[in-house]
Every structure is written in C-alpha cells, then in structure tokens.
Amino acid sequence: MKIKLRNKTGMIKERKVGFSWTTLLFGFFPALFRGDWKWAIIIFLVSILTSGASNFVFCFIYNRLHINDLLSQGYGPATKKSQSILISKGFIAENYAANAAG
C-alpha cells in the first residue's frame, strides 16, 4: 500500500508502507536513489559488517524509518486515504488533522 506525503512547499512524495522488497534485493541502493543519505550510509556500513545479512532486517523496517524521517522533516499526509493509513499503522495520532489545522 502506498501513501502520498506533502511538505509545506507543496512537494509530494509517494512512498510504500510495509515490507521493502527493493531493500531486501538491492540493499542500500533504494535509500540512495530516494536521496535518503543517512539510511543509505547506515545500511551500507551495517551490510558490510554483517556480510549482507542485515538486509533481511532492513527490508522489514526501512520504509517505516524513511516515512518517520519525512514526517519529522515537515511532510504530512497529502490525502485523507494517506492520513488514515498513517493513523492505522501508528505513524501519526488520530487527532493529527485537528492539530494540523490549529
């Protein structure tokens, strides 16, 4: 399932929620191509230390880490559907819309 996130300047990013097949198969490259330098470097270094075994862990958590980073950078749900997915997956609280409006 995918969500759309928008920042204050109107830039929209579409991201997948849940398991990351691309991280499992390609390691740090998906983070690198998204411009997520922090996690690309972390995944790369940990992958070297674990001979690639860490990719099995990161494929379960990377999308969550990336979405949390985007939310902390000022992105928010661009659609009601995205908002309900973010609430149901525990990214934001149910009173997010009230707080965002006020």
Side-chain angles (χ1 to χ4, degrees):
M1 113 184 44
K2 291 187 177 186
I3 58 166
K4 291 184 179 183
L5 299 171
R6 178 190 332 256
N7 68 4
K8 292 178 178 160
T9 63
M11 179 186 283
I12 294 180
K13 293 189 177 190
E14 186 174 27
R15 295 295 184 250
K16 186 174 182 285
V17 178
F19 187 83
S20 175
W21 283 102
T22 55
T23 300
L24 176 64
L25 298 174
F26 304 111
F28 71 97
F29 285 108
L32 187 66
F33 293 146
R34 290 179 177 179
D36 189 2
W37 294 99
K38 176 179 84 172
W39 285 109
I41 292 168
I42 291 170
I43 293 170
F44 176 73
L45 293 175
V46 174
S47 182
I48 288 174
L49 294 173
T50 63
S51 300
S54 62
N55 289 349
F56 185 71
V57 174
F58 279 111
C59 68
F60 288 99
I61 63 172
Y62 173 67
N63 284 338
R64 175 172 283 279
L65 296 169
H66 182 60
I67 291 170
N68 280 331
D69 282 350
L70 289 174
L71 291 171
S72 70
Q73 293 171 11
Y75 282 83
T79 64
K80 289 288 186 186
K81 180 181 176 186
S82 295
Q83 181 177 343
S84 66
I85 291 170
L86 289 171
I87 290 170
S88 71
K89 298 294 182 181
F91 287 100
I92 59 176
E94 286 192 47
N95 61 357
Y96 177 84
N99 291 339

